[in-house]
């Protein structure tokens, strides 16, 4: 379980995300759930950065879309991010996906969630 977030950072690793979802369901009423979701959020952002950096064009739009939707879902629950992960995602995403409607939609939602008054950023 400790090594799974690192595996999730690799682009296109759907099987590992299925395992992560199963672990999330098992931890549903656990004290560890919030920490686990924070690790998943970080892994999701790092995975998107890796995906954007390695394929500057949208070679896997369905994988990117599922990752972006996962990012949005995790942001709604966790509501806090590592500043370095966030900066890297925004910079790389805007550099390579500034025309991608799904990326821009999720970025807008993330900004709304993270920069409201009571947020940690």
């Amino acid at each position: 379980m400790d090594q799974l977030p690192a595996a999730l950072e690799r682009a296109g690793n759907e099987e590992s995300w299925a395992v992560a979802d199963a672990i999330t369901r098992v931890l549903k009423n656990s004290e560890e759930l919030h920490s686990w979701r924070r690790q998943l959020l970080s892994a999701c952002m790092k995975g998107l950065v890796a995906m954007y950096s390695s394929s500057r064009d949208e070679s896997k739009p369905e994988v990117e879309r599922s990752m972006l939707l996962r990012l949005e879902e995790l942001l709604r629950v966790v509501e806090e991010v590592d500043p370095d992960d966030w900066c890297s995602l925004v910079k790389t995403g805007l550099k390579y996906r500034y025309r991608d409607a799904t990326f821009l939609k999720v970025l807008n939602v993330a900004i709304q969630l993270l920069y409201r008054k009571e947020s940690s950023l």
Side-chain angles (χ1 to χ4, degrees):
M1 187 167 125
D2 296 332
Q3 293 143 358
L4 185 59
L8 295 171
E9 294 173 18
R10 291 190 288 276
N13 204 341
E14 290 299 310
E15 298 83 16
S16 295
W17 280 104
V19 172
D21 290 340
I23 292 171
T24 301
R25 286 190 295 276
V26 169
L27 294 175
K28 187 174 183 178
N29 295 318
S30 168
E31 294 176 10
E32 298 174 25
L33 181 60
H34 187 71
S35 173
W36 173 248
R37 284 184 171 155
R38 286 189 68 187
Q39 289 178 346
L40 293 181
L41 178 60
S42 179
C44 187
M45 288 192 289
K46 289 175 181 174
L48 283 165
V49 167
M51 201 177 308
Y52 294 159
S53 298
S54 67
S55 63
R56 293 158 201 254
D57 61 336
E58 291 183 62
S59 60
K60 299 178 183 176
E62 65 285 338
V63 175
E64 286 184 22
R65 180 170 162 64
S66 72
M67 289 287 287
L68 284 166
L69 296 176
R70 183 178 300 276
L71 174 68
E72 182 178 349
E73 176 186 320
L74 287 166
L75 280 168
R76 290 183 186 283
V77 177
V78 177
E79 295 182 340
E80 57 186 297
V81 297
D82 178 87
D84 293 334
D85 292 343
W86 173 245
C87 181
S88 183
L89 176 67
V90 171
K91 281 176 59 177
T92 308
L94 287 174
K95 184 174 182 179
Y96 298 115
R97 298 297 187 269
Y98 64 93
R99 293 183 180 166
D100 182 279
T102 305
F103 169 76
L104 294 173
K105 177 190 160 287
V106 172
L107 180 63
N108 185 38
V109 168
I111 289 169
Q112 299 302 315
L113 289 169
L114 296 173
Y115 290 96
R116 59 182 179 212
K117 287 186 179 183
E118 59 273 357
S119 176
S120 63
L121 287 182

